[in-house]
Amino acid sequence: MKNKIEDIVKSEKKIIKKTPPKDDMLSLLAKDRDEKSIPNNFQERNNIEIDKENIDDETDNYQEESEDVEPIEIKVENSIKKSFVDDRGFKSPRKKNKAKRYVFFGIVVLVVVFFVFNFFASAKVFITPKIEKFSFNSEKFTANRNSANTLPFEVMIVEGSEEKNVTFSETKEIATKAKGTVVIYNEYSTTPQKLLINTRLVDDKGLIYMTDKALSIPGYTKSGTKVVPGSISVTVTAQNTGDKYNSEPKDFKILGFKGNPKYDKVYARAKMAFTGGAVGNFYLPTDVEKGAINTDINNKLKTSLENKISAEIPEGYITYKDSMQFSTSIDEESLLSKTKEAKIKAYGHITTVIFKEEDIKKELIKRAYPSANDMDFKEIKIQSIDGFKFTFSDPAYIITKDVDSISFNLTGDKMLEWHPIVENLAVKLSGVSKKEIDSILKQDVGILRARVVFRPPWQRNMPDDVEKIKIIEEATN
C-alpha cells in the first residue's frame, strides 16, 4: 500500500488512466436500461475527476501518516461513449431513437411528395388528326340567291378606270358622231310600247339622238298604289357629227310623241356620258398603235379591278377568280387629239359571284364526305377552298346584278383535315379512368391515333380540372 502512494506522489498532479471493471460496466448498462438514460457524469463528460476526498480508505490512512503530501487530483478517462456497442452486442438507446426518427421523417417526406405530385397532376394527350383526300372532276353545283335549302350566293360588281399617256403619229380629217346608252321608260300603259329603229330622242337643248335598233318597252306594273314603269336599255347615236353632241348623262323625250299623252309618260334617261363626236383635223393612233394601247390599258385595268375585288369582298366571303367577268371600253373621244400628245382613258367593271366561306365549305364536305355530321362540319377544314377551277355550266352565261340562280362546276384535288375541338375533348376526358380513355377517343372519327402522358406517372385517372389536360396535335406521317 505504501508503494502505491509513493507512486502517486512522485509528481504534484498526475492523470491516472482507469478502465472501469467489467462488473461496473455491466451495472452501468443495466442502470441505463432501467432509467432510459445514462448518468449525468457519463453523458456529459468522458473524464471522471477524483479529488482527495474520494480516494479510498487506504489513501485516507496514508494522509494521516504523511501530512506533508499535497492534495492530488486523479482524473479517470472513461471509455464509455455516447453511442457504442459493447462486446456483448448491446446497442445505444440513442442510436435506436435516431433510426426511428429517420423512418418517421422518411414517411412524412413521402406523404408530402405524394400529395404535392397529385396536387400538380396533369395529362398531355397527343392526337394525330385524320386526313382524307378527295377529287372533283367538273362536279356540278347549283346556287340560289334567296333560298335556304341550297347554296346561297351574292353578286358583287366593282368599277374603275385607267389612263395611259401616248404619242400619236397619224393625222386625219375626222367627222364622227357621239354615242351613248339610254334607258327608255313606259309609264303610259300596262301594255308594251313599240319603237322603230332610228326613233328620235331630243334633249332640253334640242339636240337629237336616234335609237340604233327597234325595241318594245314593257308596260308598267303596280306595287300597291305605286306605278313601277317598264324599261329597256338601248344604244343611241347623235343625229349629226361634232363634239357639241358630247355631253354628260341627261334626259330625253321621244320627238314622235309630241302633242300626244305619251310624250310625258314615255321618256328616256342616259346611263353614261355621250362621247366620240368630232369634226376637223385630229391626231389619232394607227391600227397597230390602237391594238397595243387597248391591250396594255385593259390589262392594267383588269388587274386593278381584281385587286379591288379582293380588297372589298366582305369578311367571311370568297370568290373564284374564274367566275369574274370583265368588261371594258375605251373612251373613243380620247382617241382623237388636237396634239400629238394624248391621254387615253378606259372604263371597266368586274362582275362576280361570291359565297359565304362556311356555306361553300359545308357544301364541299357534303359532296366529298357524305356521312358527315354536324360535328364534322365544325372539325373539318379544307385548305384553299377558292383554289378549285370554276366554270359556269353554260360557258356563254353572263352574270347580271339581278340574277337569282346559277349553275357551275368545280374541278380539283383537296384534303379533308379533321381538327378536333380540344375544349370539348378535354371536358369529355376530365376525371375518367385510364381504362375509359381509349373508348372516348375512338368516338371522335377525326382522331387517327392518340397517346396519353401522365404526370406523375402513377396517376390512374385524368385530372378533374380541364385546365390540367393539354391536347396537342401531332403531324400525320
Side-chain angles (χ1 to χ4, degrees), residues 145-393:
R145 201 167 188 176
N146 300 306
S147 174
N149 299 322
T150 57
L151 175 65
F153 75 97
E154 296 291 339
V155 174
M156 183 175 181
I157 302 173
V158 296
E159 298 177 340
S161 62
E162 192 72 27
E163 293 181 344
K164 179 178 176 63
N165 292 319
V166 297
T167 301
F168 295 148
S169 59
E170 188 174 300
T171 61
K172 190 175 181 179
E173 191 69 28
I174 297 294
T176 58
K177 296 178 180 181
K179 289 181 176 291
T181 301
V182 299
V183 179
I184 303 179
Y185 296 93
N186 176 13
E187 287 185 12
Y188 177 73
S189 70
T190 57
T191 58
Q193 295 294 306
K194 293 183 179 181
L195 298 179
L196 300 175
I197 189 173
N198 293 327
T199 294
R200 293 176 300 167
L201 308 181
V202 61
D203 66 10
D204 57 357
K205 293 180 180 179
L207 298 176
I208 296 174
Y209 300 77
M210 294 182 292
T211 60
D212 290 345
K213 65 179 182 179
L215 51 92
S216 177
I217 313 167
Y220 71 75
T221 59
K222 281 192 172 183
S223 176
T225 59
K226 183 181 179 181
V227 174
V228 180
S231 63
I232 190 170
S233 294
V234 66
T235 302
V236 297
T237 302
Q239 186 178 38
N240 298 309
T241 60
D243 57 6
K244 70 177 181 179
Y245 287 89
N246 298 330
S247 68
E248 294 301 314
K250 52 190 175 181
D251 292 343
F252 300 88
K253 298 287 187 179
I254 296 176
L255 194 58
F257 290 158
K258 191 172 183 179
N260 187 298
K262 294 181 181 179
Y263 190 71
D264 293 323
K265 296 294 184 179
V266 180
Y267 55 90
R269 286 177 179 164
K271 293 178 67 176
M272 60 182 66
F274 285 85
T275 60
V279 174
N281 191 41
F282 290 88
Y283 286 92
L284 71 167
T286 64
D287 290 341
V288 174
E289 289 173 341
K290 189 174 182 179
I293 290 169
N294 281 340
T295 299
D296 183 56
I297 199 168
N298 284 344
N299 287 341
K300 287 182 178 179
L301 182 55
K302 185 178 181 181
T303 300
S304 172
L305 292 174
E306 288 175 348
N307 292 337
K308 194 173 181 180
I309 284 274
S310 299
E312 295 183 4
I313 191 169
E315 186 177 357
Y317 281 77
I318 67 164
T319 187
Y320 291 93
K321 189 174 182 179
D322 297 329
S323 76
M324 298 180 185
Q325 294 180 350
F326 175 62
S327 176
T328 184
S329 62
I330 298 289
D331 180 359
E332 293 294 330
E333 189 176 357
S334 69
L335 292 174
L336 300 175
S337 175
K338 293 291 186 180
T339 63
K340 287 184 177 183
E341 305 301 324
K343 181 178 287 186
I344 305 297
K345 192 167 186 178
Y347 301 92
H349 66 269
I350 283 183
T351 306
T352 188
V353 290
I354 62 175
F355 306 90
K356 277 187 178 180
E357 189 170 2
E358 283 302 311
D359 292 337
I360 189 71
K361 186 189 95 167
K362 190 172 183 178
E363 193 67 24
L364 294 174
I365 293 172
K366 284 181 182 178
R367 298 293 184 90
Y369 190 65
S371 61
N373 55 35
D374 290 340
M375 184 57 69
D376 290 320
F377 292 134
K378 294 178 181 178
E379 292 187 349
I380 293 175
K381 291 183 180 179
I382 303 175
Q383 300 296 334
S384 303
I385 292 178
D386 57 354
F388 288 101
K389 180 176 176 54
F390 179 103
T391 56
F392 285 105
S393 299

Side-chain angles (χ1 to χ4, degrees), residues 5-68:
I5 298 302
E6 286 178 351
D7 291 336
I8 290 173
V9 297
K10 283 182 179 179
S11 62
E12 295 180 355
K13 194 173 188 179
K14 186 175 181 181
I15 302 299
I16 299 177
K17 301 288 184 178
K18 180 179 180 183
T19 300
K22 282 186 179 181
D23 292 342
D24 291 343
M25 179 70 75
L26 291 176
S27 63
L28 286 173
L29 290 175
K31 186 176 180 181
D32 175 69
R33 286 195 299 271
D34 293 338
E35 297 178 0
K36 304 299 180 184
S37 61
I38 298 175
N40 290 338
N41 60 329
F42 281 95
Q43 288 182 345
E44 295 177 359
R45 22 183 253 194
N46 291 329
N47 297 321
I48 297 175
E49 293 186 358
I50 302 176
D51 58 17
K52 66 177 183 178
E53 293 178 356
N54 293 327
I55 299 177
D56 57 19
D57 292 337
E58 292 180 351
T59 305
D60 291 336
N61 294 333
Y62 173 77
Q63 285 179 335
E64 290 178 0
E65 296 175 1
S66 180
E67 294 179 357
D68 296 333

